[in-house]
Amino acid sequence: MEKVLISACLLGRPVRYNGKSLTVESKHLNEWQQQGRLVAICPEMEGGLSVPRAAAEIVDGQAGDVVDGTAEVITIEGDNVTSPFMRGAQKVLSLCQMHNIKIAILAEGSPSCGSTEVYDGSFSGRRIAGMGVTSALLERHGVEVFSQFQLASACHYLNRIEAVAGKRS
């Protein structure tokens, strides 16, 4: 049975920067939780950041640039938190590799977890197309990343990889 990595905030854990959760109700998540598939984690907390913490955004580049060391993650207060973001992303990747996790459901918009859009780095509330640091690192290593708004697609992907695995055994 394939495991599914998930942002802890999506399961109701108050780990977001503002001390809140981003709970998602879904038949897919309920089923996966009952099956024991879900592996919940918060990359920012894994990187050593606390709750609550200052809002952060990727500045002067995209997540891939952060992973490559050419852009930074900065808080609204001006603190550079690139190292904890990268440390958390690396821990999440290690967890995926250890458990052979091929699929992740991560919180959209987050500078760690965004899969299709993130904030633009101006702290104005404007979103742009792009990925968070953890999402970018996972995708570079073959983990398919979906947002909480793409659960049906994630379910189809999970069914496909399990069907392929079933044919091999």
Side-chain angles (χ1 to χ4, degrees):
M1 175 175 55
E2 296 288 331
K3 294 285 187 184
V4 177
L5 184 83
I6 187 165
S7 294
C9 63
L10 299 177
L11 294 178
R13 297 184 189 162
V15 296
R16 295 185 73 221
Y17 75 96
N18 59 5
K20 296 183 179 181
S21 68
L22 192 61
T23 306
V24 173
E25 294 297 326
S26 159
K27 67 178 183 180
H28 301 300
L29 292 182
N30 291 341
E31 181 179 314
W32 294 340
Q33 196 161 27
Q34 289 172 358
Q35 294 169 342
R37 291 180 184 267
L38 297 180
V39 177
I41 196 162
C42 174
E44 293 170 28
M45 289 189 67
E46 288 298 312
L49 297 174
S50 63
V51 176
R53 56 190 170 271
E57 296 186 7
I58 298 167
V59 178
D60 294 330
Q62 295 285 321
D65 302 325
V66 175
V67 172
D68 293 335
T70 60
E72 298 175 321
V73 184
I74 306 294
T75 69
I76 195 166
E77 298 163 347
D79 296 322
N80 187 324
V81 290
T82 305
S83 290
F85 270 72
M86 283 302 302
R87 193 168 40 250
Q90 288 289 347
K91 285 184 176 184
V92 171
L93 175 60
S94 293
L95 180 70
C96 287
Q97 291 170 333
M98 184 171 50
H99 294 286
N100 198 28
I101 295 172
K102 299 177 188 84
I103 182 172
I105 311 296
L106 301 178
E108 191 65 88
S110 161
S112 288
C113 298
S115 60
T116 63
E117 64 180 21
V118 293
Y119 291 96
D120 71 356
S122 68
F123 295 95
S124 63
R126 189 172 149 256
R127 290 184 183 214
I128 57 172
M131 300 183 93
V133 176
T134 298
S135 294
L137 187 64
L138 291 180
E139 287 226 331
R140 280 189 180 186
H141 288 87
V143 178
E144 192 72 26
V145 180
F146 298 89
S147 78
Q148 71 269 32
F149 306 115
Q150 300 170 311
L151 291 173
S153 296
C155 186
H156 290 300
Y157 182 77
L158 183 62
N159 290 338
R160 270 198 325 270
I161 60 176
E162 286 190 329
V164 168
K167 288 178 184 174
R168 282 192 226 141
S169 51

